[in-house]
Amino acid sequence: MSARGVNGASVSANSTSAARVQDLWRARPRSKLLRATCWSLGLWTLYAWFSPEIGLMDFLDGRRFSNLGRFVETELVPFPLRGEPLSLAALSTWVADIWNRIGMQSTLATLQISIIAIVIAGAAALPLSMFAARNLAASTPFENPSGREATWRRLFWTAISSSARALAILLRAVPEFILAFLLLAVLGPRNAWPAILALAMHNCGILARLGSEVVENLEPAPLRAMAAVGAPRRSLVVFGVLPLALGRNLLYFFYRFETCVREATVLGMLGVLSLGYWIQDARAKQYYDEVFLLVLFSVGVVLVADLVSVLARRSIRR
Amino acid sequence: MASHSHNPGPLPARPGPFGARRTWLLAIALAALWAAHGLGVTLSGLVPSGSGLNILGEFLGASLSPAWDYEVVVPEGTVALPWKVLDALRRTLIFAASGLSLALLLGFPLGIVASTAWWKNHKGARGERFHLLKRWLNPTLFVGIRTGIALLRSIHEVLWAVLLLAALGLNSFSAVCAIALPFAGTFAKVFSDILDEAPRDSADVLRASGATEAQAFLFGLLPRALPDMAAYAFYRFECAVRSSAVLGFFGYPTLGYFIKLAFDNKRYHEVWSYLWSLIVLVFVLEAISGALRRRVVVR
């Protein structure tokens, strides 16, 4: 919030209520950055819609909707039901066949890939977040009064926390899909590691950032007290920061797990045996009914992960 | 505060050996073991083969020297590489902005009707018309809306792109919708959560002084939730940029398209030009959204 709050000095003691409201309106908190961002994003959006790449007029072409109708009415209809009356028996044998042939195995693989990935990400992000937290990775952690303050020490710790932050940014700036594409060329296809590593790297960057914010927002009093009576940094971390930050870190862990499952589905399209592999396979054969069913499987596994994540977060928060 | 120093009171009970955190940590460890066993991954899979090692070395070696000019001979009249990179960035940002704006347009109203705050009936509030509207849009619809939102957001944007590509073809419409639909679902979910967690005090005061429910919602509750919503929307723009870049792998002219093309042709320095431009863009967006969050969201 800006310094000029609602109760700031600029509100004059005017007696009429209309003028008072006007004064309050004039003294409302404002942010130049917020305005500048809103304006530039708004103008950019306007430009985007009218740019030749989108072409607003071309966008709402009626032909598009007839194409959509044809796609839904013919290609999305399950193969055994095409030109036949709706029969639940035929539909369920078709679903069961695809589930048994590829669905179950690849749905499980999707889940397993994301579990391994998020565990690696969480395990790597925990130490990284400690080094990235500006209050812990400082020459005097938590500004304890007994700390030694020398210029070179300060520079040393600033360098450490800055490089930890830079590493986290590098990891999370590149999307998982692009990371997996690059790793696949290195590690070879039909191997789950490119997908696992891509997910782990990206999520490690995100979790490290969130984790460092958790440490920075911790109530400093108990940690400062520990530091003041001479606790070295490692005991501060093990007996102070970790127990205090674990709860929130677990919340973030489960929040990212959910997105991890969603992403793991798609990474299969590059050649890893998750659901996406078979989606890409069916797509190449133009079996769009099968593509759609596999997408529904992915919805199922994402919703299961969502449920686990919500349950876990609820019980941890309590 | 002073009274605490005289009488600290009993300490909170120490949680048993199987508190929520420990149970979940154990569950995570077991799940990881099950996953590693089921997937059959071994550490040997992490070691690149000979050719993979070559690619890794060449690719990482190129990281600190991104190309400023094409690595191969290009036909006369091709624009210079920096301009091409900037143009790819521009297209990425165009799809991100149009997709996100459409997502906001769909997600904001959905988020409002999906919040429990919208459906709750308050005793003594005026506004018969609003009540009628709610009775008309009965709770079955509430469940329907929530299910629809879950469907929208649990399908990944790339899967939306696959479906829409088949239905609509390779054009801006399918790209924009592929981003807009899942993002609308996420907006709806997060906005409804924010609305439900927003402080109710102003709305209660308005209602007590005779405002209708619609007025209490619009002028009491919504303004308390808007800063959080705005901060979240800015953060999602960054995600939309990443998604837009990835859609390039499916033929749209965004960053991913050029990254894939350059990588497949082993022009690693060019790949890094695109990658670094994406990294810098994400860094700038993140810095702005972080600064905004600190200013806008009051905690």
Short mmCIF file of all heavy atoms in Angstrom, two decimals, chain A residues 1-2 29-35 37-38, chain B residues 223-234 288-299:
data_model
loop_
_atom_site.label_atom_id
_atom_site.label_comp_id
_atom_site.label_asym_id
_atom_site.label_seq_id
_atom_site.Cartn_x
_atom_site.Cartn_y
_atom_site.Cartn_z
N MET A 1 0.84 -1.20 0.00
CA MET A 1 0.00 0.00 0.00
C MET A 1 0.87 1.25 0.00
O MET A 1 1.95 1.26 0.60
CB MET A 1 -0.85 0.02 1.27
CG MET A 1 -2.04 -0.91 1.20
SD MET A 1 -3.33 -0.26 0.17
CE MET A 1 -3.66 -1.66 -0.86
N SER A 2 0.38 2.29 -0.63
CA SER A 2 1.17 3.51 -0.69
C SER A 2 1.11 4.21 0.65
O SER A 2 0.31 3.89 1.52
CB SER A 2 0.61 4.43 -1.78
OG SER A 2 -0.46 5.18 -1.28
N PRO A 29 -5.60 4.72 -1.83
CA PRO A 29 -4.26 4.24 -2.17
C PRO A 29 -4.16 3.95 -3.66
O PRO A 29 -5.06 3.32 -4.24
CB PRO A 29 -4.11 2.97 -1.34
CG PRO A 29 -5.48 2.58 -0.96
CD PRO A 29 -6.30 3.82 -0.93
N ARG A 30 -3.09 4.43 -4.27
CA ARG A 30 -2.90 4.19 -5.70
C ARG A 30 -1.49 3.70 -5.95
O ARG A 30 -0.58 4.02 -5.20
CB ARG A 30 -3.15 5.48 -6.47
CG ARG A 30 -4.60 5.63 -6.89
CD ARG A 30 -4.83 6.94 -7.57
NE ARG A 30 -4.67 8.06 -6.66
CZ ARG A 30 -5.02 9.30 -6.96
NH1 ARG A 30 -5.55 9.56 -8.13
NH2 ARG A 30 -4.85 10.27 -6.10
N SER A 31 -1.34 2.94 -6.99
CA SER A 31 0.01 2.46 -7.33
C SER A 31 0.26 2.74 -8.80
O SER A 31 -0.51 2.35 -9.66
CB SER A 31 0.11 0.97 -7.02
OG SER A 31 1.10 0.38 -7.82
N LYS A 32 1.38 3.46 -9.06
CA LYS A 32 1.73 3.78 -10.44
C LYS A 32 2.03 2.52 -11.22
O LYS A 32 1.65 2.38 -12.37
CB LYS A 32 2.95 4.70 -10.44
CG LYS A 32 2.58 6.16 -10.48
CD LYS A 32 3.80 7.00 -10.78
CE LYS A 32 3.48 8.47 -10.55
NZ LYS A 32 4.56 9.20 -9.89
N LEU A 33 2.72 1.58 -10.55
CA LEU A 33 3.10 0.34 -11.22
C LEU A 33 1.86 -0.42 -11.67
O LEU A 33 1.79 -0.92 -12.79
CB LEU A 33 3.93 -0.52 -10.26
CG LEU A 33 4.39 -1.85 -10.84
CD1 LEU A 33 5.48 -1.63 -11.87
CD2 LEU A 33 4.88 -2.77 -9.75
N LEU A 34 0.85 -0.47 -10.78
CA LEU A 34 -0.37 -1.19 -11.11
C LEU A 34 -1.05 -0.58 -12.33
O LEU A 34 -1.45 -1.27 -13.26
CB LEU A 34 -1.32 -1.17 -9.91
CG LEU A 34 -2.67 -1.86 -10.12
CD1 LEU A 34 -2.46 -3.34 -10.32
CD2 LEU A 34 -3.59 -1.61 -8.94
N ARG A 35 -1.11 0.76 -12.32
CA ARG A 35 -1.73 1.45 -13.46
C ARG A 35 -0.98 1.20 -14.74
O ARG A 35 -1.57 0.87 -15.77
CB ARG A 35 -1.73 2.95 -13.21
CG ARG A 35 -2.83 3.39 -12.33
CD ARG A 35 -2.83 4.86 -12.39
NE ARG A 35 -3.91 5.40 -11.60
CZ ARG A 35 -4.26 6.67 -11.68
NH1 ARG A 35 -3.62 7.47 -12.48
NH2 ARG A 35 -5.24 7.11 -10.95
N THR A 37 0.96 -1.24 -15.51
CA THR A 37 0.82 -2.62 -15.96
C THR A 37 -0.54 -2.85 -16.58
O THR A 37 -0.67 -3.48 -17.63
CB THR A 37 1.02 -3.59 -14.79
OG1 THR A 37 2.08 -3.13 -13.99
CG2 THR A 37 1.31 -4.98 -15.27
N CYS A 38 -1.59 -2.33 -15.92
CA CYS A 38 -2.94 -2.51 -16.45
C CYS A 38 -3.06 -1.90 -17.83
O CYS A 38 -3.59 -2.52 -18.76
CB CYS A 38 -3.97 -1.87 -15.52
SG CYS A 38 -4.33 -2.87 -14.09
N PRO B 223 -15.22 -5.95 -3.96
CA PRO B 223 -14.03 -5.11 -3.84
C PRO B 223 -12.97 -5.67 -2.89
O PRO B 223 -11.78 -5.43 -3.06
CB PRO B 223 -14.58 -3.79 -3.30
CG PRO B 223 -16.00 -3.79 -3.70
CD PRO B 223 -16.44 -5.22 -3.63
N ARG B 224 -13.41 -6.45 -1.87
CA ARG B 224 -12.44 -7.03 -0.95
C ARG B 224 -11.65 -8.14 -1.62
O ARG B 224 -10.56 -8.48 -1.17
CB ARG B 224 -13.14 -7.60 0.29
CG ARG B 224 -13.94 -6.62 1.10
CD ARG B 224 -13.11 -5.47 1.60
NE ARG B 224 -12.06 -5.84 2.54
CZ ARG B 224 -12.20 -5.78 3.85
NH1 ARG B 224 -13.32 -5.37 4.39
NH2 ARG B 224 -11.19 -6.10 4.62
N ALA B 225 -12.23 -8.74 -2.65
CA ALA B 225 -11.57 -9.87 -3.30
C ALA B 225 -10.77 -9.44 -4.54
O ALA B 225 -9.88 -10.16 -4.98
CB ALA B 225 -12.60 -10.92 -3.69
N LEU B 226 -11.10 -8.27 -5.10
CA LEU B 226 -10.51 -7.88 -6.38
C LEU B 226 -8.98 -7.80 -6.40
O LEU B 226 -8.37 -8.28 -7.35
CB LEU B 226 -11.10 -6.55 -6.86
CG LEU B 226 -12.34 -6.69 -7.74
CD1 LEU B 226 -12.85 -5.31 -8.13
CD2 LEU B 226 -12.03 -7.49 -9.00
N PRO B 227 -8.33 -7.22 -5.36
CA PRO B 227 -6.86 -7.15 -5.42
C PRO B 227 -6.22 -8.53 -5.57
O PRO B 227 -5.32 -8.71 -6.40
CB PRO B 227 -6.48 -6.51 -4.09
CG PRO B 227 -7.68 -5.77 -3.66
CD PRO B 227 -8.84 -6.54 -4.17
N ASP B 228 -6.71 -9.50 -4.78
CA ASP B 228 -6.18 -10.85 -4.89
C ASP B 228 -6.40 -11.43 -6.28
O ASP B 228 -5.53 -12.08 -6.85
CB ASP B 228 -6.87 -11.76 -3.86
CG ASP B 228 -6.04 -11.90 -2.61
OD1 ASP B 228 -4.81 -11.97 -2.74
OD2 ASP B 228 -6.62 -11.93 -1.51
N MET B 229 -7.60 -11.18 -6.83
CA MET B 229 -7.93 -11.68 -8.16
C MET B 229 -7.00 -11.07 -9.20
O MET B 229 -6.49 -11.77 -10.08
CB MET B 229 -9.36 -11.32 -8.51
CG MET B 229 -10.41 -12.09 -7.75
SD MET B 229 -12.02 -11.51 -8.30
CE MET B 229 -13.07 -12.69 -7.51
N ALA B 230 -6.77 -9.76 -9.09
CA ALA B 230 -5.92 -9.08 -10.07
C ALA B 230 -4.50 -9.64 -9.99
O ALA B 230 -3.88 -9.94 -11.02
CB ALA B 230 -5.92 -7.58 -9.81
N ALA B 231 -4.00 -9.81 -8.76
CA ALA B 231 -2.64 -10.33 -8.61
C ALA B 231 -2.54 -11.72 -9.22
O ALA B 231 -1.56 -12.04 -9.91
CB ALA B 231 -2.26 -10.38 -7.13
N TYR B 232 -3.57 -12.53 -9.01
CA TYR B 232 -3.56 -13.88 -9.57
C TYR B 232 -3.60 -13.83 -11.09
O TYR B 232 -2.90 -14.59 -11.77
CB TYR B 232 -4.72 -14.70 -9.02
CG TYR B 232 -4.69 -16.11 -9.52
CD1 TYR B 232 -3.74 -17.00 -9.05
CD2 TYR B 232 -5.57 -16.56 -10.50
CE1 TYR B 232 -3.68 -18.29 -9.54
CE2 TYR B 232 -5.52 -17.84 -10.98
CZ TYR B 232 -4.56 -18.71 -10.50
OH TYR B 232 -4.49 -19.97 -10.99
N ALA B 233 -4.41 -12.93 -11.64
CA ALA B 233 -4.52 -12.83 -13.10
C ALA B 233 -3.17 -12.45 -13.71
O ALA B 233 -2.79 -12.99 -14.75
CB ALA B 233 -5.59 -11.82 -13.47
N PHE B 234 -2.44 -11.53 -13.06
CA PHE B 234 -1.11 -11.16 -13.57
C PHE B 234 -0.19 -12.36 -13.55
O PHE B 234 0.56 -12.60 -14.49
CB PHE B 234 -0.50 -10.04 -12.73
CG PHE B 234 -1.09 -8.71 -13.01
CD1 PHE B 234 -1.59 -7.93 -12.00
CD2 PHE B 234 -1.13 -8.23 -14.31
CE1 PHE B 234 -2.16 -6.71 -12.26
CE2 PHE B 234 -1.69 -7.00 -14.58
CZ PHE B 234 -2.20 -6.24 -13.55
N ILE B 288 7.69 -8.09 -12.35
CA ILE B 288 6.56 -7.16 -12.30
C ILE B 288 5.44 -7.73 -11.44
O ILE B 288 4.90 -7.04 -10.56
CB ILE B 288 6.03 -6.86 -13.72
CG1 ILE B 288 7.09 -6.11 -14.53
CG2 ILE B 288 4.76 -6.02 -13.64
CD1 ILE B 288 6.70 -5.88 -15.96
N SER B 289 5.09 -9.02 -11.66
CA SER B 289 3.95 -9.56 -10.92
C SER B 289 4.29 -9.69 -9.43
O SER B 289 3.43 -9.51 -8.58
CB SER B 289 3.48 -10.88 -11.52
OG SER B 289 4.20 -11.96 -11.02
N GLY B 290 5.59 -9.94 -9.12
CA GLY B 290 5.99 -9.98 -7.71
C GLY B 290 5.83 -8.61 -7.06
O GLY B 290 5.29 -8.48 -5.96
N ALA B 291 6.29 -7.57 -7.77
CA ALA B 291 6.19 -6.21 -7.23
C ALA B 291 4.72 -5.82 -7.06
O ALA B 291 4.34 -5.20 -6.06
CB ALA B 291 6.89 -5.23 -8.16
N LEU B 292 3.89 -6.21 -8.03
CA LEU B 292 2.46 -5.89 -7.95
C LEU B 292 1.83 -6.58 -6.75
O LEU B 292 1.05 -5.98 -6.01
CB LEU B 292 1.75 -6.35 -9.21
CG LEU B 292 1.82 -5.42 -10.39
CD1 LEU B 292 1.13 -6.03 -11.58
CD2 LEU B 292 1.19 -4.08 -10.04
N ARG B 293 2.18 -7.86 -6.58
CA ARG B 293 1.61 -8.62 -5.47
C ARG B 293 1.92 -7.94 -4.15
O ARG B 293 1.08 -7.82 -3.27
CB ARG B 293 2.19 -10.03 -5.50
CG ARG B 293 1.64 -10.98 -4.49
CD ARG B 293 1.99 -12.40 -4.84
NE ARG B 293 1.14 -12.93 -5.88
CZ ARG B 293 -0.08 -13.44 -5.64
NH1 ARG B 293 -0.54 -13.46 -4.42
NH2 ARG B 293 -0.80 -13.89 -6.61
N ARG B 294 3.18 -7.46 -4.02
CA ARG B 294 3.56 -6.81 -2.77
C ARG B 294 2.78 -5.52 -2.55
O ARG B 294 2.47 -5.15 -1.43
CB ARG B 294 5.07 -6.52 -2.77
CG ARG B 294 5.84 -7.51 -1.91
CD ARG B 294 7.32 -7.38 -2.12
NE ARG B 294 7.79 -8.24 -3.18
CZ ARG B 294 8.56 -7.85 -4.19
NH1 ARG B 294 8.95 -6.60 -4.28
NH2 ARG B 294 8.94 -8.70 -5.11
N ARG B 295 2.45 -4.81 -3.65
CA ARG B 295 1.74 -3.54 -3.50
C ARG B 295 0.23 -3.74 -3.34
O ARG B 295 -0.42 -3.05 -2.57
CB ARG B 295 1.98 -2.67 -4.73
CG ARG B 295 3.25 -1.90 -4.67
CD ARG B 295 3.38 -1.08 -5.94
NE ARG B 295 4.63 -0.36 -6.00
CZ ARG B 295 5.81 -0.94 -6.16
NH1 ARG B 295 5.90 -2.25 -6.24
NH2 ARG B 295 6.90 -0.21 -6.23
N VAL B 296 -0.30 -4.69 -4.13
CA VAL B 296 -1.75 -4.78 -4.24
C VAL B 296 -2.36 -5.61 -3.12
O VAL B 296 -3.37 -5.24 -2.53
CB VAL B 296 -2.12 -5.40 -5.61
CG1 VAL B 296 -3.60 -5.69 -5.68
CG2 VAL B 296 -1.72 -4.46 -6.72
N VAL B 297 -1.74 -6.74 -2.81
CA VAL B 297 -2.35 -7.64 -1.85
C VAL B 297 -1.98 -7.22 -0.43
O VAL B 297 -0.82 -7.19 -0.07
CB VAL B 297 -1.91 -9.10 -2.11
CG1 VAL B 297 -2.56 -10.03 -1.13
CG2 VAL B 297 -2.27 -9.48 -3.52
N VAL B 298 -2.98 -6.86 0.33
CA VAL B 298 -2.74 -6.44 1.72
C VAL B 298 -2.92 -7.65 2.61
O VAL B 298 -3.95 -8.32 2.56
CB VAL B 298 -3.75 -5.35 2.13
CG1 VAL B 298 -3.18 -4.54 3.27
CG2 VAL B 298 -4.11 -4.50 0.97
N ARG B 299 -1.94 -7.96 3.38
CA ARG B 299 -2.08 -9.10 4.29
C ARG B 299 -1.89 -8.63 5.71
O ARG B 299 -0.96 -7.94 5.99
CB ARG B 299 -1.06 -10.18 3.95
CG ARG B 299 -1.40 -10.88 2.68
CD ARG B 299 -1.92 -12.27 2.95
NE ARG B 299 -2.24 -12.95 1.70
CZ ARG B 299 -3.47 -13.03 1.22
NH1 ARG B 299 -4.47 -12.50 1.88
NH2 ARG B 299 -3.70 -13.66 0.09
#
